[in-house]
Amino acid sequence: MVGVGSGGGSGVGQAGDVVVAGVGSGGKAGAGQAGDAVVAGVGSGGKRVPGQAVDAVAAGVGPSGTAAVPGQGADGVIPGAGPSGKAGSRPTVKLREADPDDPPRYAPEWLELREPADAAARAHDLLDPLRIRLANLPGKSGGVVIHDLGCGTGSMGRWLASRLDGAQHWILHDRDPYLLHFAAVASPRSAADGSRVSVETRRGDVARLTPDALQGASLVTASALLDVLTREEIDTLAAACAGAGCPALLTLSVAGRVELTPSHPLDSEIAQAFNDHQRRDGLLGPDAVTAAAEAFSEQGATVRLHPSPWRLGPEQAALTEQWLRGWVGAAVEQRPDLRVLADAYLADRLAACAAGELRVTVHHTDLLALCRPAGGAS
């Protein structure tokens, strides 16, 4: 666990402080000091500090966490944008035991590329009921504690922290230590009303959370997580949130529907193969939101759903290109017989994208589960 705040304390309201596990000012081991936001080899602005360790800088990522090189594989796909490694595994969340030599498969480049589209897509209509619930939680005088599951580089915190009032302490969960470092360095420092925001990181398996792990939590958040869980894992997550009495805001789960303009005769076949790929090894894929709504409802929560589509046009051409490569690649991995047709299809779609003629709507759903507070407040 990371020490947060001066002296390594983890109380809400000492914030603005970020101390990555075992890293103090200057990138050296130590408890850290107030105002620190230091990763090994990374300075307080996310920049490389000459002469310091560089083991926290992921391959293909430059001094500010931005892409220094394309970072693409031989197939042109940024890791995380398409199928990579074992089917049914989530690169940034260790859902099952994996080979220790397996590399992280969600590159910071991919998460950075999709962050603006994610931010534009998330459902603002779910924020008012969330704010009301947080305002009425018992024992919140010291601020709220928010667990972000499968945090990646921390885009959810950057989106949400500035939309909530009051002191916030964010606990970032991920299996990838590099992404946790980037998330901590780039974490927000202030809430909507100027209150302080503090951060700590925890590396591990978020699919096996228990109410004890969420003790004291005010809110659980995640992005693009539900569709890579099994039904059992979603039931475990719902039970943990209900047991802790905290709401859950789970955004950007795939809905299994994609619209491309202009249309193409192969669109629906590629989409179906992709959806089947998402359901490999018992993962729920596009069925996840329905399963999660049922699981939280069975725990007594009030569940609200809202669409959160990506709307990609010429301004998002780089993201559209990577999404297309990953989408078609997963479809072909699921149905190798599509390869010849899919290769021609992808070439046509990429040409249209490069010409500014392609528009894509990728449908997602956001879920807000308002679990009964443990202290009995409504």
Side-chain angles (χ1 to χ4, degrees):
M1 184 183 302
V2 178
V4 178
S6 58
S10 59
V12 176
Q14 298 190 2
D17 307 338
V18 180
V19 183
V20 179
V23 181
S25 59
K28 298 178 181 179
Q33 301 176 2
D36 293 344
V38 183
V39 178
V42 182
S44 59
K47 297 181 180 179
R48 278 279 304 282
V49 179
Q52 295 183 352
V54 296
D55 58 337
V57 180
V61 179
S64 314
T66 56
V69 296
Q72 299 178 353
D75 55 0
V77 181
I78 292 175
S84 175
K86 299 176 182 177
S89 61
R90 173 172 170 83
T92 60
V93 181
K94 187 177 180 183
L95 301 179
R96 297 171 188 81
E97 294 301 319
D99 188 319
D101 294 328
D102 281 353
R105 284 151 296 184
Y106 267 0
E109 298 97 320
W110 166 245
L111 299 176
E112 180 184 28
L113 188 61
R114 65 174 289 170
E115 184 168 346
D118 287 348
R122 290 192 183 95
H124 288 250
D125 288 355
L126 297 180
L127 293 182
D128 279 345
L130 174 61
R131 293 184 184 109
I132 292 170
R133 174 54 59 88
L134 293 178
N136 290 320
L137 283 177
K140 124 177 221 312
S141 58
V144 295
V145 177
I146 302 172
H147 289 253
D148 188 17
L149 310 183
C151 67
T153 57
S155 66
M156 172 61 93
R158 288 189 290 276
W159 180 80
L160 184 58
S162 63
R163 290 172 169 82
L164 299 177
D165 288 336
Q168 302 166 35
H169 179 61
W170 283 72
I171 301 174
L172 309 180
H173 299 254
D174 208 288
R175 60 85 44 129
D176 186 335
Y178 296 120
L179 295 183
L180 284 173
H181 289 321
F182 287 122
V185 168
S187 63
R189 303 303 175 84
S190 60
D193 61 357
S195 298
R196 292 180 176 180
V197 175
S198 58
V199 174
E200 67 175 273
T201 62
R202 294 183 186 176
R203 184 184 180 192
D205 184 347
V206 303
R208 298 187 179 92
L209 282 178
T210 65
D212 287 345
L214 296 178
Q215 185 175 5
S218 309
L219 172 65
V220 167
T221 66
S223 287
L225 174 66
L226 291 179
D227 42 88
V228 293
L229 298 180
T230 65
R231 184 172 296 274
E232 179 182 359
E233 289 162 346
I234 283 180
D235 289 344
T236 298
L237 174 61
C241 292
C246 67
L249 179 63
L250 309 171
T251 67
L252 299 169
S253 299
V254 296
R257 293 181 293 115
V258 174
E259 297 162 6
L260 298 97
T261 304
S263 62
H264 187 286
L266 207 58
D267 287 347
S268 60
E269 197 165 2
I270 295 289
Q272 184 59 55
F274 175 83
N275 289 341
D276 291 342
H277 186 277
Q278 293 290 94
R279 296 183 176 105
R280 284 185 170 195
D281 295 341
L283 304 185
L284 289 176
D287 308 317
V289 170
T290 299
E294 293 172 352
F296 277 99
S297 294
E298 288 170 0
Q299 295 288 340
T302 299
V303 177
R304 302 186 183 208
L305 303 176
H306 201 282
S308 53
W310 277 357
R311 301 189 187 280
L312 309 180
E315 297 80 8
Q316 296 82 28
L319 175 59
T320 304
E321 177 193 346
Q322 286 300 314
W323 173 83
L324 273 168
R325 292 182 184 278
W327 189 60
V328 175
V332 171
E333 189 173 272
Q334 179 67 22
R335 282 192 51 193
D337 59 295
L338 284 176
R339 180 169 299 278
V340 173
L341 291 174
D343 284 349
Y345 172 88
L346 179 60
D348 288 347
R349 286 311 200 182
L350 290 176
C353 178
E357 299 168 354
L358 181 66
R359 283 165 175 75
V360 181
T361 301
V362 182
H363 290 276
H364 305 99
T365 304
D366 288 2
L367 180 151
L368 174 63
L370 299 174
C371 300
R372 296 190 183 106
S378 60

